[in-house]
């Protein structure tokens, strides 16, 4: 059996750890999700049930799925063990993880859509009956061994709900989607982060950063940190609107939060594919971006801004995209 893979250290960077909200009040926005999650927890507490229903969070990277999972663990006073879909390669890995859990623990599995189908098959009885049926040996000598696993709660996170198999999806008692944030919520998150980083920032600068933040907390925090560095290098104690604008221009992030890669994707659709439609594979090859990165990071932002549309034949650049890039809009382009 291979060594257990859960890690107690989260898989993300130190900035995320410093700024990660530790209380429900610090977790800004996503009110509906927060409310429903808290009802599930309260109901389990009332039943004096050591494990809560298994929960699945989906939404783009940096929207707060991991943070929310930590808050759930905190609220029910459970330990949280962290793993990810790609880290559980074989049934043995899963067995090692599950048998090392304690009663009532939360197992957080990031990128759960990347679990292999074989591992998924082993996981189902563990989720339903807290049992693991391992097959030992091969061929006619093979035999099954049933292991009891502690009652635990699985919290899955995925950036791609559609890639989670439906049998796995059906094992979750609750599935919640996280949305992009409102500008005001991002401003609140930035203001809190600025306090934690000991940075003084003007309200106008906060608005500028929030507008360029892809309405995603992780991205907003990263921008704040970059802008703080600019202010520091320029010996400025406060982040003003002027510094924020200067930093964003230097980072090649425009007023809609588009970075160089977003613009390259749009330009490629327009220049190389005459505005589209273009399939994901062709677009990835032409822009030298990973298909997954286009799907999870760039496309949601471009769709939200109305710069691309998705048709059965592929992605198309919209009139807004031509205008944003300063291109001449071709005749007959609808939107
Ligand atoms: P995900 O798991 O969806 O990729 P995380 O939970 O790791 O996202 O969030 C990334 C960072 O963004 C966190 O460390 C935290 O600083 C910030 N963050 C996310 N959601 C919120 C929120 N609702 N309120 C305040 N900060 C947030």
């Amino acid at each position: 059996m291979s060594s257990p893979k859960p890690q107690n250290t989260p898989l993300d960077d130190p900035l995320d750890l410093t700024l990660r909200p530790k209380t429900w009040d610090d977790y800004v926005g996503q009110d509906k999700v927060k409310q429903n999650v808290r009802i599930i927890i309260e109901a389990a507490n009332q039943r004096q049930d050591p494990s809560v229903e298994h929960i699945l969070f989906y939404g783009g990277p940096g929207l707060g799925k991991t943070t929310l999972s930590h808050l759930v663990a905190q609220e029910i006073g459970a330990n949280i063990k962290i793993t990810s879909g790609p880290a559980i390669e074989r049934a043995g890995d899963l067995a090692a993880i599950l048998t090392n859990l304690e009663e009532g623990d939360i197992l957080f599995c990031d990128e759960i859509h990347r679990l292999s189908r074989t591992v998924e098959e082993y996981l189902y009885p563990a989720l339903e009956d807290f049992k693991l049926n391992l097959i030992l040996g091969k061929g006619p000598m093979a035999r099954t061994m049933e292991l009891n696993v502690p009652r635990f709660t699985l919290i899955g996170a995925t950036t791609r709900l559609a890639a989670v198999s439906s049998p796995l999806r059906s094992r979750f008692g609750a599935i919640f989607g996280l949305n992009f944030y409102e500008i005001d919520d991002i401003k609140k998150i930035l203001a809190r982060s600025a306090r934690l980083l000991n940075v003084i920032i003007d309200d106008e600068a906060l608005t500028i950063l929030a507008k360029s933040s892809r309405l995603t907390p992780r991205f907003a925090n990263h921008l704040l940190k970059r802008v703080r560095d600019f202010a520091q290098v320029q010996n400025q104690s406060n982040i003003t609107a002027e510094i924020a604008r200067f930093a964003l221009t230097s980072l090649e992030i425009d007023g809609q939060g588009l970075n160089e890669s977003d613009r390259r994707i749009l330009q490629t659709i327009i220049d190389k594919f005459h505005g589209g439609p273009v399939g994901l594979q062709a677009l990835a090859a032409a822009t030298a971006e990973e298909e997954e990165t286009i799907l999870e990071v760039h496309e949601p932002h471009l769709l939200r801004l109305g710069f691309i549309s998705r048709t059965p034949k592929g992605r198309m650049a919209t009139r807004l995209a031509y205008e944003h890039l300063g291109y001449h809009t071709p005749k007959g382009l609808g939107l």
Side-chain angles (χ1 to χ4, degrees), residues 308-320:
I308 56 171
S309 61
R310 277 176 72 165
T311 70
K313 287 189 181 155
R315 286 91 187 138
M316 293 189 73
T318 62
R319 174 181 290 277
L320 283 177

Side-chain angles (χ1 to χ4, degrees), residues 64-108:
K65 301 179 291 298
T66 311
T67 309
L68 206 46
S69 309
H70 278 84
L71 288 174
V72 172
Q74 190 176 305
E75 180 100 0
I76 56 177
N79 288 319
I80 182 164
K81 301 274 169 63
I82 294 169
T83 189
S84 73
I88 311 176
E89 287 172 17
R90 290 177 298 266
D93 297 334
L94 180 70
I97 290 171
L98 296 181
T99 52
N100 273 297
L101 293 175
E102 282 169 32
E103 194 80 6
D105 275 0
I106 286 186
L107 178 65
F108 174 71

Side-chain angles (χ1 to χ4, degrees), residues 2 49 73 91 95 102 126 175 193 216 221 258 260:
S2 52
D49 194 336
E102 282 169 32
I175 301 182
S193 301
T216 304
N221 284 339
L258 261 57
E260 198 267 324

Side-chain angles (χ1 to χ4, degrees), residues 16 19-21 27-28 62-67 181 217-218 221:
D16 275 356
L19 302 179
R20 175 160 287 154
Y27 191 92
V28 176
L63 285 180
K65 301 179 291 298
T66 311
T67 309
Y181 288 64
R218 180 183 291 139
N221 284 339

